[in-house]
Amino acid sequence: MVETRFSKFLQKLGFSRAGHQYEALERGELETLFDEQCELKASEKDKTVIALPPKEASKCRREDLAKAFYVDLQNGLSEFSVTQRRLVHGWNEFVADNTEPMWKKYLDQFKNPLILLLLASALVSVLTKEYEDAISIAMAVLIVVTVAFIQEYRSEKSLQELTKLVPPECNCIREGRLQHLLARDLVPGDIVCLSIGDRIPADIRLTEVTDLLVDESSFTGEAEPCSKTDTPLTGEGDLTTLRNIVFMGTLVQYGKGQGVVIGTGEKSQFGEVFKMMQAEETPKTPLQKNMDNLGKQLTLFSFCIIGIIMLTGWLQGKHLLSMFTIGVSLAVAAIPEGLPIVVMVTLVLGVLRMAKKQVIVKKLPIVETLGCCNVICSDKTGTLTANEMTVTQLVTSDGFHAEVSGVGYNSQGTVCLLPSKEVIKEFSNISVGKLVEAGCVANNAIIRKNTVMGQPTEGALIALAMKMGLSDIKDSYVRTKEIPFSSEQKWMAVKCSPKNEEEEDIYFMKGAFEEVIRYCTMYNNGGIPLPLTPQQQSFCQQEERKMGSLGLRVLALASGPELGKLTFLGLIGIIDPPRAGVKEAMQVLSESGVSVKMITGDALETALAIGRNIGLCNGKLTAMSGEQVESMEQNKLAEHVGKVSVFFRTSPKHKLKIIKALQESGAIVAMTGDGVNDAVALKSADIGISMGQTGTDVSKEAANMILVDDDFSAIMSAVEEGKGIFHNIKNFVRFQLSTSISALSLITLSTMCNLPNPLNAMQILWINIIMDGPPAQSLGVEPVDKDTLRQPPRNVKDTILSRALILKILLSASVIISGTLFIFWKEIPEDKANTPRTTTMTFTCFVFFDLFNALTCRSQTKLIFEIGFLRNHMFLYSVLGSILGQLAVIYIPPLQKVFQTENLGVLDLLLLTGLASSVFILSELLKLCEKFCSRAKKAQTHHEDV
């Protein structure tokens, strides 16, 4: 573009041999040319900007930083500069370095000792010139290996998708405006604003600081938060001593600040930590450990049986090579090598199903833990209730009452005096005006496009000011100091200088009534401060309790020249209406044996009102205060905590103590929360659940699970999914074990009885593909049964192989063995020679038994007619594919040669189908008997109770 303009410029200044002929540039073309030349220079500057090492940046003054990064510290970068810098520095994120190529991952599948044994068997076949067997075994190995590879690849891809579901966010100044961006959009030179609860999105050199404390434990290992400054440093020291630098991944614990991004992505100090993290392997879940132990036990058992088969066959004079091939093939068929993969796939699919329901699980083990959860401790605000807080009532210190209409973060609604219903605007009533002014000035929230940037409570106060036409009152003051809210002190205050220089500095405070009133010596009466008498204080306290009993969150407001000499202005009542679906969720969770406990920082009356409103513990509420929790010994608290349903006026340390007490009493605890004060409890709970929209970065970091829409009822879906996943894994185990025990026993019995082997090596491998392949995998994706949620949480000590499951496995295996041996005995000729018809009938009988067994394994308790034939589409397709595959093996000549089969008649197939269905019929009858016994037991218990 620039080159084109420049050539045009030369053309305009044309040179001829006769002499110089000049032609003036048009004004618009000249301006465009200069603009483009400036852009080119700016582009070149942006491309030369480099990430600054923290030690070097710590010594720079503000002016030096602005020059080094070509940035205006007040207005930030332009979008053009950001684009140019991103070309050089890339996105502010870490990309997993998957240097291992696909072909290597595929070859790693062959490292399985069983596969190597099978390949050894194929090699022996080549040496003995049995090429057809060698090719067939090699093909079967390829199929098994490819299936395993695809499953693992899908698991990895699913996990990569999960990491993209929770992008960290930040507040950044660009082109003079405060913008809410994804952290990955940052480039060196960006101006980032930090506030309490934020996660630092990149390495930043601070330029403005207000009481900033940063938790750098994730970076330095130091538990104590680090106090930060914005002044340049002169001395030498290590990274932990750089008090004007904040590092990516650390957390703002207190105060606020602003600074320049000096390093992003791999160029940040946390980039080194990320590389170390890549080397770490994810620990196995308890379920996976159980599965591994199960696999080892079965492997040992299988090899013992195979050893006996080979020894017996050799003693009987059978061909040792053929016995070795059968033995190795049987090992592959018998050992449930697919179990760990199935566990991973089932968990990942469960996590992705939850993601569709707006529940993000950060760690896979949590999926299985959800099925064991029997206590949910929930923060009230933003979790059980909606996140759009609304002011509904005002009471001034001189006794004026007003009601507020309208919902949400907008100016729709009015403020009316009671009982006259007079609409108030601005300072038409001085007492109400001063109360609303204090709430607007002592505030860090911003409302844009009906959404709040900041805390919902502060958003409600801004919305109130908008309704009264006072939203711009904040601009009348210059803030000089802020004392941020903390869950310990329960108030926040700002010191402001009025822009009218004649007036003195003034403090505005808001917080819990009992804390704010301690700093007040006066109360406002129509704009005139009067001494705060005990009678007046008692009146205000009664009003606060009255509002709290209605389920309102009550804020007290005050203003004055200094802390300790404030004028009390009045009370504001904010309602956080219960979320849709919470009441129903409470009922279902209660019926399923999950106890819900509400832990809140609010007063007793507010907590009880909300508890009754949502149907907590069916309205039979027992409450305990934070002070009572603190004074009680841990072991005594563990005895009482189970009976309490509401904890009020709690601090972070109280929440932690409650969680620990519940865990000591043997409960598996889930904790839900959204604030900085919930972070410790979220981290210590068995399952930490954070809110996705109102949740702070601290709470999201500490949690294992995130509710994207802040919807409490979504927990119900997550618990349901957790229980369903465990049931699906049990179904899979039942199917695999009954099939492998049947295959082992069949060969063992025929060898012991000196009969020819009913199945050859290729047929056993085909059975193995069905056992580990699609029909088996489809049991892992069986949709969750709606009745599953109403079942009590499972005991975390319960094993997969319960006594009932072992009996069902042995019953199914007995039927399969009996039926298959019957066909083998019926079809074997008198000379006991193994003919193609004998093996074909036996082989097909076993496969049909396998498929009917899979059908009944879809549920441990429900009949097939109750769960529905067509509900699991993947199961239907896989069974249909297996049937077509089996028919192909029987009737297609090239496959007949490989599998040593021959054509069967229609009557043969009908006989085999009828016989194989016996395993399905018997299992369904057993379920029916269990149902009748269970009902009879319940009826008897009910009769005894009456």
Side-chain angles (χ1 to χ4, degrees):
M1 181 68 136
V2 177
E3 288 84 347
T4 310
R5 290 282 179 188
F6 195 64
S7 61
K8 195 171 182 182
F9 175 75
L10 290 175
Q11 286 169 15
K12 292 271 185 178
L13 297 171
F15 291 95
S16 68
R17 288 177 187 175
H20 299 298
Q21 294 179 347
Y22 299 96
E23 188 179 334
L25 277 170
E26 293 168 21
R27 182 168 180 170
E29 290 177 330
L30 192 62
E31 285 176 0
T32 306
L33 177 63
F34 287 138
D35 285 348
E36 286 170 353
Q37 284 178 327
C38 289
E39 272 189 19
L40 188 62
K41 285 178 183 176
S43 171
E44 286 169 0
K45 278 183 181 179
D46 286 320
K47 286 179 181 176
T48 60
V49 169
I50 58 168
L52 210 57
K55 286 184 182 179
E56 198 176 316
S58 68
K59 297 173 185 176
C60 294
R61 293 172 302 160
R62 286 165 57 94
E63 306 80 45
D64 299 333
L65 284 169
K67 284 178 186 175
F69 288 101
Y70 301 109
V71 63
D72 181 331
L73 297 181
Q74 296 302 315
N75 297 318
L77 296 172
S78 67
E79 290 299 334
F80 176 78
S81 292
V82 170
T83 308
Q84 294 301 316
R85 293 180 192 208
R86 191 168 292 128
L87 294 174
V88 179
H89 298 278
W91 297 99
N92 178 33
E93 61 186 0
F94 302 121
V95 181
D97 187 21
N98 294 322
T99 50
E100 196 175 72
M102 297 280 282
W103 60 266
K104 193 173 184 301
K105 287 182 180 179
Y106 185 76
L107 288 180
D108 284 346
Q109 300 294 328
F110 289 91
K111 290 179 180 176
N112 187 322
L114 298 172
I115 297 296
L116 294 173
L117 267 175
L118 205 56
L119 289 174
S121 175
L123 182 63
V124 172
S125 298
V126 170
L127 294 174
T128 54
K129 297 187 179 178
E130 292 178 9
Y131 298 116
E132 287 182 0
D133 281 353
I135 292 167
S136 305
I137 292 169
M139 287 299 292
V141 166
L142 280 173
I143 292 169
V144 171
V145 164
T146 304
V147 167
F149 169 73
I150 289 168
Q151 286 166 347
E152 286 188 10
Y153 179 74
R154 280 176 61 191
S155 296
E156 283 180 19
K157 283 290 175 191
S158 301
L159 288 169
Q160 283 173 17
E161 286 303 311
L162 288 178
T163 60
K164 297 174 187 174
L165 292 174
V166 195
E169 297 169 345
C170 63
N171 292 315
C172 175
I173 296 173
R174 281 187 187 165
E175 297 186 333
R177 289 184 296 112
L178 181 66
Q179 300 182 31
H180 194 64
L181 304 172
L182 292 179
R184 74 187 293 266
D185 292 338
L186 293 178
V187 294
D190 261 324
I191 307 298
V192 175
C193 298
L194 304 169
S195 57
I196 186 167
D198 286 351
R199 181 175 178 168
I200 310 294
D203 285 0
I204 295 169
R205 162 67 163 87
L206 295 166
T207 54
E208 292 178 25
V209 163
T210 307
D211 302 328
L212 188 65
L213 287 178
V214 177
D215 175 7
E216 295 187 337
S217 57
S218 58
F219 182 67
T220 63
E222 291 289 330
E224 287 295 314
C226 178
S227 176
K228 294 293 179 181
T229 181
D230 54 9
T231 54
L233 303 179
T234 52
E236 291 294 325
D238 62 9
L239 292 173
T240 58
T241 62
L242 303 180
R243 292 182 59 240
N244 58 5
I245 306 284
V246 287
F247 298 100
M248 178 192 280
T250 56
L251 304 167
V252 178
Q253 204 171 67
Y254 194 83
K256 63 180 187 175
Q258 185 174 306
V260 182
V261 174
I262 58 170
T264 58
E266 301 284 348
K267 299 284 185 183
S268 67
Q269 292 302 307
F270 229 80
E272 294 300 317
V273 179
F274 175 74
K275 287 169 190 170
M276 290 164 63
M277 282 166 60
Q278 276 192 291
E280 293 293 320
E281 288 188 12
T282 309
K284 288 186 176 179
T285 69
L287 182 61
Q288 284 174 310
K289 287 174 184 174
N290 287 342
M291 302 297 266
D292 286 349
N293 290 335
L294 180 67
K296 284 173 186 174
Q297 290 163 1
L298 292 171
T299 302
L300 188 64
F301 172 73
S302 301
F303 275 116
C304 288
I305 295 291
I306 289 157
I308 293 167
I309 290 169
M310 289 186 67
L311 183 63
T312 310
W314 179 66
L315 291 172
Q316 290 173 349
K318 290 189 179 177
H319 199 262
L320 195 59
L321 176 64
S322 100
M323 292 311 296
F324 171 74
T325 308
I326 290 285
V328 173
S329 301
L330 199 59
V332 175
I335 295 163
E337 65 210 23
L339 277 181
I341 297 168
V342 167
V343 171
M344 180 62 79
V345 170
T346 308
L347 292 177
V348 169
L349 289 173
V351 166
L352 291 175
R353 277 199 297 270
M354 284 193 220
K356 287 178 184 174
K357 295 175 183 176
Q358 303 300 298
V359 179
I360 295 168
V361 179
K362 287 164 68 179
K363 297 176 184 176
L364 282 178
I366 296 308
V367 184
E368 62 175 283
T369 315
L370 280 165
C372 313
C373 173
N374 50 15
V375 176
I376 296 175
C377 294
S378 179
D379 176 48
K380 177 182 73 69
T381 309
T383 309
L384 297 174
T385 52
N387 65 344
E388 285 198 337
M389 299 188 76
T390 309
V391 176
T392 57
Q393 288 189 24
L394 306 175
V395 179
T396 65
S397 55
D398 51 352
F400 284 106
H401 286 70
E403 67 175 10
V404 185
S405 63
V407 177
Y409 304 117
N410 52 61
S411 59
Q412 293 173 4
T414 55
V415 180
C416 302
L417 273 181
L418 295 176
S420 66
K421 296 282 184 181
E422 177 195 342
V423 176
I424 306 168
K425 288 285 182 184
E426 297 181 347
F427 288 94
S428 57
N429 181 297
I430 193 75
S431 298
V432 174
K434 277 187 165 293
L435 181 63
V436 174
E437 177 190 39
C440 186
V441 177
N443 204 309
N444 290 318
I446 300 169
I447 291 177
R448 280 191 190 150
K449 296 178 182 176
N450 296 340
T451 56
V452 66
M453 290 173 71
Q455 289 295 327
T457 308
E458 293 191 330
L461 295 175
I462 297 288
L464 172 65
M466 288 164 70
K467 289 168 188 175
M468 282 188 62
L470 290 172
S471 57
D472 296 330
I473 196 75
K474 214 173 184 178
D475 299 335
S476 306
Y477 298 93
V478 176
R479 188 181 292 189
T480 56
K481 185 183 177 184
E482 179 184 342
I483 304 168
F485 176 87
S486 82
S487 45
E488 298 294 333
Q489 68 189 23
K490 297 188 174 73
W491 58 265
M492 73 87 73
V494 294
K495 184 181 180 183
C496 298
S497 298
K499 288 187 177 175
N500 181 351
E501 292 179 6
E502 294 174 8
E503 296 179 28
E504 294 179 356
D505 286 1
I506 185 168
Y507 276 93
F508 292 98
M509 179 188 279
K510 72 172 189 296
F513 170 75
E514 61 266 35
E515 297 297 329
V516 171
I517 203 77
R518 287 169 51 203
Y519 292 86
C520 298
T521 55
M522 314 286 279
Y523 79 96
N524 175 55
N525 187 359
I528 301 166
L530 296 177
L532 184 65
T533 61
Q535 291 84 355
Q536 188 65 30
Q537 193 167 331
S538 176
F539 162 76
C540 293
Q541 195 163 13
Q542 283 177 358
E543 289 294 337
E544 191 257 350
R545 283 180 181 164
K546 196 187 292 181
M547 291 167 82
S549 67
L550 298 172
L552 299 178
R553 185 171 188 177
V554 185
L555 282 181
L557 291 111
S559 66
E562 60 181 276
L563 297 178
K565 291 184 180 178
L566 299 180
T567 301
F568 187 71
L569 299 174
L571 303 165
I572 289 179
I574 303 171
I575 191 167
D576 191 6
R579 287 186 171 278
V582 167
K583 198 167 185 176
E584 294 78 4
M586 287 288 171
Q587 190 178 346
V588 175
L589 287 169
S590 177
E591 287 171 4
S592 66
V594 179
S595 169
V596 181
K597 300 183 185 300
M598 183 165 75
I599 306 178
T600 178
D602 281 338
L604 175 62
E605 291 83 0
T606 311
L608 291 177
I610 290 292
R612 289 189 197 101
N613 203 350
I614 61 175
L616 186 68
C617 294
N618 297 319
K620 299 168 186 173
L621 304 175
T622 313
M624 185 182 278
S625 70
E627 286 180 4
Q628 288 172 297
V629 170
E630 192 167 358
S631 62
M632 202 175 282
E633 288 183 17
Q634 193 72 27
N635 56 354
K636 200 173 181 185
L637 183 62
E639 292 172 18
H640 288 84
V641 76
K643 300 165 191 170
V644 181
S645 47
V646 174
F647 296 91
F648 63 97
R649 286 291 186 226
T650 55
S651 68
K653 59 182 178 183
H654 298 148
K655 292 183 181 184
L656 179 62
K657 196 172 180 181
I658 293 163
I659 298 290
K660 294 287 184 192
L662 283 164
Q663 288 171 331
E664 276 182 33
S665 67
I668 301 298
V669 186
M671 171 72 197
T672 70
D674 63 341
V676 177
N677 59 336
D678 300 316
V680 183
L682 286 170
K683 202 162 189 176
S684 64
D686 296 286
I687 308 162
I689 304 170
S690 172
M691 303 297 110
Q693 292 181 357
T694 57
T696 57
D697 285 349
V698 178
S699 65
K700 288 179 192 174
E701 176 67 20
N704 313 109
M705 199 168 109
I706 296 169
L707 306 180
V708 176
D709 292 340
D710 296 4
D711 186 1
F712 180 83
S713 57
I715 295 174
M716 202 164 57
S717 301
V719 171
E720 184 180 58
E721 196 69 53
K723 289 179 179 178
I725 283 168
F726 189 75
H727 284 297
N728 284 352
I729 290 169
K730 282 185 83 168
N731 295 341
F732 175 85
V733 169
R734 179 185 167 184
F735 171 69
Q736 269 226 321
L737 292 189
S738 54
T739 304
S740 58
I741 288 170
S742 302
L744 267 173
S745 304
L746 195 64
I747 304 297
T748 307
L749 288 169
S750 62
T751 305
M752 293 293 199
C753 300
N754 200 20
L755 293 168
N757 290 319
L759 303 170
N760 61 38
M762 284 308 301
Q763 290 167 353
I764 290 170
L765 283 169
W766 176 251
I767 289 165
N768 182 41
I769 289 165
I770 291 175
M771 190 175 78
D772 278 336
Q777 301 294 337
S778 62
L779 291 172
V781 296
E782 184 74 30
V784 177
D785 186 2
K786 292 298 171 192
D787 289 346
T788 300
L789 185 60
R790 298 186 187 275
Q791 293 174 9
R794 69 177 176 86
N795 192 325
V796 77
K797 293 175 184 175
D798 285 349
T799 55
I800 296 164
L801 278 178
S802 61
R803 187 179 294 177
L805 190 65
I806 290 169
L807 289 172
K808 286 175 183 176
I809 288 167
L810 293 175
L811 177 70
S812 296
S814 303
V815 176
I816 294 169
I817 294 160
S818 305
T820 310
L821 280 176
F822 169 72
I823 290 294
F824 182 59
W825 170 79
K826 178 178 170 292
E827 294 296 331
I828 198 166
E830 288 181 10
D831 61 356
K832 293 188 179 179
N834 210 352
T835 64
R837 175 173 172 79
T838 307
T839 55
T840 306
M841 285 290 283
T842 310
F843 172 43
T844 307
C845 180
F846 193 94
V847 170
F848 282 12
F849 262 121
D850 226 15
L851 298 176
F852 273 111
N853 188 33
L855 185 63
T856 195
C857 285
R858 282 179 60 191
S859 173
Q860 301 296 321
T861 54
K862 287 203 164 188
L863 301 173
I864 192 69
F865 305 107
E866 290 177 294
I867 59 173
F869 269 106
L870 306 175
R871 198 171 67 157
N872 188 344
H873 296 296
M874 185 179 167
F875 180 81
L876 290 175
Y877 295 140
S878 57
V879 167
L880 182 63
S882 300
I883 292 168
L884 292 174
Q886 183 63 25
L887 294 175
V889 164
I890 298 170
Y891 294 108
I892 295 174
L895 292 176
Q896 283 180 339
K897 211 170 183 184
V898 172
F899 286 90
Q900 297 169 18
T901 57
E902 66 173 36
N903 293 350
L904 297 178
V906 176
L907 291 175
D908 292 330
L909 292 176
L910 288 173
L911 169 68
L912 295 174
T913 305
L915 183 64
S917 65
S918 61
V919 71
F920 168 74
I921 293 164
L922 201 65
S923 294
E924 295 294 290
L925 286 172
L926 186 65
K927 289 177 194 175
L928 211 56
C929 289
E930 283 177 348
K931 278 198 164 191
F932 281 123
C933 291
S934 176
R935 282 176 191 167
K937 198 173 181 181
K938 278 182 184 175
Q940 190 179 349
T941 309
H942 179 70
H943 182 70
E944 285 172 3
D945 290 343
V946 172

PDB file of all heavy atoms in Angstrom, residues 290 726 730 794-803 805-806:
ATOM      1  N   ASN A 290      -8.672 -49.329  41.605  1.00  0.00           N
ATOM      2  CA  ASN A 290      -9.466 -50.553  41.802  1.00  0.00           C
ATOM      3  C   ASN A 290      -9.455 -51.418  40.546  1.00  0.00           C
ATOM      4  O   ASN A 290      -9.326 -52.636  40.606  1.00  0.00           O
ATOM      5  CB  ASN A 290     -10.920 -50.201  42.150  1.00  0.00           C
ATOM      6  CG  ASN A 290     -11.051 -49.667  43.552  1.00  0.00           C
ATOM      7  OD1 ASN A 290     -10.159 -49.852  44.373  1.00  0.00           O
ATOM      8  ND2 ASN A 290     -12.149 -48.989  43.840  1.00  0.00           N
ATOM      9  N   PHE A 726     -20.695 -44.606  37.512  1.00  0.00           N
ATOM     10  CA  PHE A 726     -20.263 -45.766  38.299  1.00  0.00           C
ATOM     11  C   PHE A 726     -21.082 -47.004  37.924  1.00  0.00           C
ATOM     12  O   PHE A 726     -20.543 -48.104  37.789  1.00  0.00           O
ATOM     13  CB  PHE A 726     -20.395 -45.460  39.789  1.00  0.00           C
ATOM     14  CG  PHE A 726     -19.768 -46.516  40.666  1.00  0.00           C
ATOM     15  CD1 PHE A 726     -18.391 -46.589  40.802  1.00  0.00           C
ATOM     16  CD2 PHE A 726     -20.550 -47.442  41.340  1.00  0.00           C
ATOM     17  CE1 PHE A 726     -17.796 -47.562  41.592  1.00  0.00           C
ATOM     18  CE2 PHE A 726     -19.968 -48.417  42.142  1.00  0.00           C
ATOM     19  CZ  PHE A 726     -18.595 -48.476  42.261  1.00  0.00           C
ATOM     20  N   LYS A 730     -19.783 -50.624  36.253  1.00  0.00           N
ATOM     21  CA  LYS A 730     -20.141 -51.934  36.827  1.00  0.00           C
ATOM     22  C   LYS A 730     -20.777 -52.835  35.762  1.00  0.00           C
ATOM     23  O   LYS A 730     -20.496 -54.035  35.692  1.00  0.00           O
ATOM     24  CB  LYS A 730     -21.114 -51.753  37.998  1.00  0.00           C
ATOM     25  CG  LYS A 730     -20.436 -51.310  39.285  1.00  0.00           C
ATOM     26  CD  LYS A 730     -21.386 -51.242  40.452  1.00  0.00           C
ATOM     27  CE  LYS A 730     -21.582 -52.586  41.089  1.00  0.00           C
ATOM     28  NZ  LYS A 730     -22.269 -52.531  42.374  1.00  0.00           N
ATOM     29  N   ARG A 794     -23.431 -43.715  47.098  1.00  0.00           N
ATOM     30  CA  ARG A 794     -22.727 -44.969  47.365  1.00  0.00           C
ATOM     31  C   ARG A 794     -21.611 -44.741  48.371  1.00  0.00           C
ATOM     32  O   ARG A 794     -21.033 -43.651  48.454  1.00  0.00           O
ATOM     33  CB  ARG A 794     -22.170 -45.574  46.065  1.00  0.00           C
ATOM     34  CG  ARG A 794     -21.036 -44.803  45.439  1.00  0.00           C
ATOM     35  CD  ARG A 794     -20.505 -45.522  44.214  1.00  0.00           C
ATOM     36  NE  ARG A 794     -19.483 -44.746  43.538  1.00  0.00           N
ATOM     37  CZ  ARG A 794     -18.196 -44.774  43.862  1.00  0.00           C
ATOM     38  NH1 ARG A 794     -17.780 -45.531  44.844  1.00  0.00           N
ATOM     39  NH2 ARG A 794     -17.316 -44.041  43.200  1.00  0.00           N
ATOM     40  N   ASN A 795     -21.321 -45.795  49.125  1.00  0.00           N
ATOM     41  CA  ASN A 795     -20.225 -45.748  50.094  1.00  0.00           C
ATOM     42  C   ASN A 795     -18.906 -45.748  49.340  1.00  0.00           C
ATOM     43  O   ASN A 795     -18.697 -46.552  48.438  1.00  0.00           O
ATOM     44  CB  ASN A 795     -20.303 -46.968  51.019  1.00  0.00           C
ATOM     45  CG  ASN A 795     -19.378 -46.829  52.216  1.00  0.00           C
ATOM     46  OD1 ASN A 795     -18.293 -46.260  52.119  1.00  0.00           O
ATOM     47  ND2 ASN A 795     -19.820 -47.346  53.341  1.00  0.00           N
ATOM     48  N   VAL A 796     -18.009 -44.824  49.707  1.00  0.00           N
ATOM     49  CA  VAL A 796     -16.734 -44.698  48.992  1.00  0.00           C
ATOM     50  C   VAL A 796     -15.878 -45.962  49.134  1.00  0.00           C
ATOM     51  O   VAL A 796     -14.985 -46.228  48.321  1.00  0.00           O
ATOM     52  CB  VAL A 796     -15.971 -43.443  49.490  1.00  0.00           C
ATOM     53  CG1 VAL A 796     -15.313 -43.682  50.824  1.00  0.00           C
ATOM     54  CG2 VAL A 796     -14.966 -42.968  48.461  1.00  0.00           C
ATOM     55  N   LYS A 797     -16.159 -46.784  50.178  1.00  0.00           N
ATOM     56  CA  LYS A 797     -15.396 -48.021  50.393  1.00  0.00           C
ATOM     57  C   LYS A 797     -15.949 -49.194  49.580  1.00  0.00           C
ATOM     58  O   LYS A 797     -15.335 -50.256  49.541  1.00  0.00           O
ATOM     59  CB  LYS A 797     -15.396 -48.380  51.881  1.00  0.00           C
ATOM     60  CG  LYS A 797     -14.623 -47.380  52.739  1.00  0.00           C
ATOM     61  CD  LYS A 797     -14.745 -47.710  54.214  1.00  0.00           C
ATOM     62  CE  LYS A 797     -14.046 -46.645  55.062  1.00  0.00           C
ATOM     63  NZ  LYS A 797     -14.257 -46.887  56.504  1.00  0.00           N
ATOM     64  N   ASP A 798     -17.111 -49.003  48.954  1.00  0.00           N
ATOM     65  CA  ASP A 798     -17.702 -50.089  48.153  1.00  0.00           C
ATOM     66  C   ASP A 798     -16.778 -50.453  46.995  1.00  0.00           C
ATOM     67  O   ASP A 798     -16.249 -49.566  46.311  1.00  0.00           O
ATOM     68  CB  ASP A 798     -19.064 -49.663  47.583  1.00  0.00           C
ATOM     69  CG  ASP A 798     -20.144 -49.663  48.640  1.00  0.00           C
ATOM     70  OD1 ASP A 798     -19.882 -50.180  49.738  1.00  0.00           O
ATOM     71  OD2 ASP A 798     -21.246 -49.155  48.368  1.00  0.00           O
ATOM     72  N   THR A 799     -16.589 -51.742  46.776  1.00  0.00           N
ATOM     73  CA  THR A 799     -15.768 -52.191  45.649  1.00  0.00           C
ATOM     74  C   THR A 799     -16.660 -52.407  44.428  1.00  0.00           C
ATOM     75  O   THR A 799     -17.882 -52.538  44.554  1.00  0.00           O
ATOM     76  CB  THR A 799     -15.053 -53.521  45.973  1.00  0.00           C
ATOM     77  OG1 THR A 799     -16.045 -54.475  46.357  1.00  0.00           O
ATOM     78  CG2 THR A 799     -14.054 -53.342  47.105  1.00  0.00           C
ATOM     79  N   ILE A 800     -16.032 -52.451  43.273  1.00  0.00           N
ATOM     80  CA  ILE A 800     -16.796 -52.695  42.043  1.00  0.00           C
ATOM     81  C   ILE A 800     -17.379 -54.102  42.075  1.00  0.00           C
ATOM     82  O   ILE A 800     -18.546 -54.321  41.772  1.00  0.00           O
ATOM     83  CB  ILE A 800     -15.891 -52.511  40.805  1.00  0.00           C
ATOM     84  CG1 ILE A 800     -15.439 -51.060  40.721  1.00  0.00           C
ATOM     85  CG2 ILE A 800     -16.617 -52.899  39.530  1.00  0.00           C
ATOM     86  CD1 ILE A 800     -14.282 -50.829  39.808  1.00  0.00           C
ATOM     87  N   LEU A 801     -16.520 -55.050  42.464  1.00  0.00           N
ATOM     88  CA  LEU A 801     -16.958 -56.451  42.517  1.00  0.00           C
ATOM     89  C   LEU A 801     -17.628 -56.746  43.859  1.00  0.00           C
ATOM     90  O   LEU A 801     -17.029 -57.312  44.755  1.00  0.00           O
ATOM     91  CB  LEU A 801     -15.763 -57.385  42.292  1.00  0.00           C
ATOM     92  CG  LEU A 801     -15.360 -57.631  40.840  1.00  0.00           C
ATOM     93  CD1 LEU A 801     -14.141 -58.528  40.783  1.00  0.00           C
ATOM     94  CD2 LEU A 801     -16.490 -58.250  40.036  1.00  0.00           C
ATOM     95  N   SER A 802     -18.874 -56.330  43.996  1.00  0.00           N
ATOM     96  CA  SER A 802     -19.634 -56.664  45.206  1.00  0.00           C
ATOM     97  C   SER A 802     -20.068 -58.132  45.127  1.00  0.00           C
ATOM     98  O   SER A 802     -20.000 -58.761  44.064  1.00  0.00           O
ATOM     99  CB  SER A 802     -20.858 -55.762  45.317  1.00  0.00           C
ATOM    100  OG  SER A 802     -21.695 -55.953  44.192  1.00  0.00           O
ATOM    101  N   ARG A 803     -20.542 -58.667  46.253  1.00  0.00           N
ATOM    102  CA  ARG A 803     -20.961 -60.078  46.293  1.00  0.00           C
ATOM    103  C   ARG A 803     -22.090 -60.334  45.287  1.00  0.00           C
ATOM    104  O   ARG A 803     -22.088 -61.330  44.574  1.00  0.00           O
ATOM    105  CB  ARG A 803     -21.416 -60.433  47.711  1.00  0.00           C
ATOM    106  CG  ARG A 803     -21.699 -61.920  47.888  1.00  0.00           C
ATOM    107  CD  ARG A 803     -22.135 -62.242  49.306  1.00  0.00           C
ATOM    108  NE  ARG A 803     -21.057 -62.015  50.255  1.00  0.00           N
ATOM    109  CZ  ARG A 803     -21.203 -62.166  51.560  1.00  0.00           C
ATOM    110  NH1 ARG A 803     -22.367 -62.509  52.074  1.00  0.00           N
ATOM    111  NH2 ARG A 803     -20.170 -61.977  52.372  1.00  0.00           N
ATOM    112  N   LEU A 805     -22.734 -58.728  42.521  1.00  0.00           N
ATOM    113  CA  LEU A 805     -22.237 -58.677  41.142  1.00  0.00           C
ATOM    114  C   LEU A 805     -21.482 -59.965  40.786  1.00  0.00           C
ATOM    115  O   LEU A 805     -21.649 -60.495  39.681  1.00  0.00           O
ATOM    116  CB  LEU A 805     -21.326 -57.455  40.955  1.00  0.00           C
ATOM    117  CG  LEU A 805     -20.914 -57.143  39.507  1.00  0.00           C
ATOM    118  CD1 LEU A 805     -22.121 -56.763  38.678  1.00  0.00           C
ATOM    119  CD2 LEU A 805     -19.891 -56.022  39.459  1.00  0.00           C
ATOM    120  N   ILE A 806     -20.688 -60.481  41.730  1.00  0.00           N
ATOM    121  CA  ILE A 806     -19.944 -61.730  41.481  1.00  0.00           C
ATOM    122  C   ILE A 806     -20.915 -62.876  41.213  1.00  0.00           C
ATOM    123  O   ILE A 806     -20.719 -63.680  40.295  1.00  0.00           O
ATOM    124  CB  ILE A 806     -19.016 -62.057  42.680  1.00  0.00           C
ATOM    125  CG1 ILE A 806     -17.859 -61.049  42.735  1.00  0.00           C
ATOM    126  CG2 ILE A 806     -18.462 -63.478  42.579  1.00  0.00           C
ATOM    127  CD1 ILE A 806     -17.031 -61.109  43.996  1.00  0.00           C
TER     128      ILE A 806
END
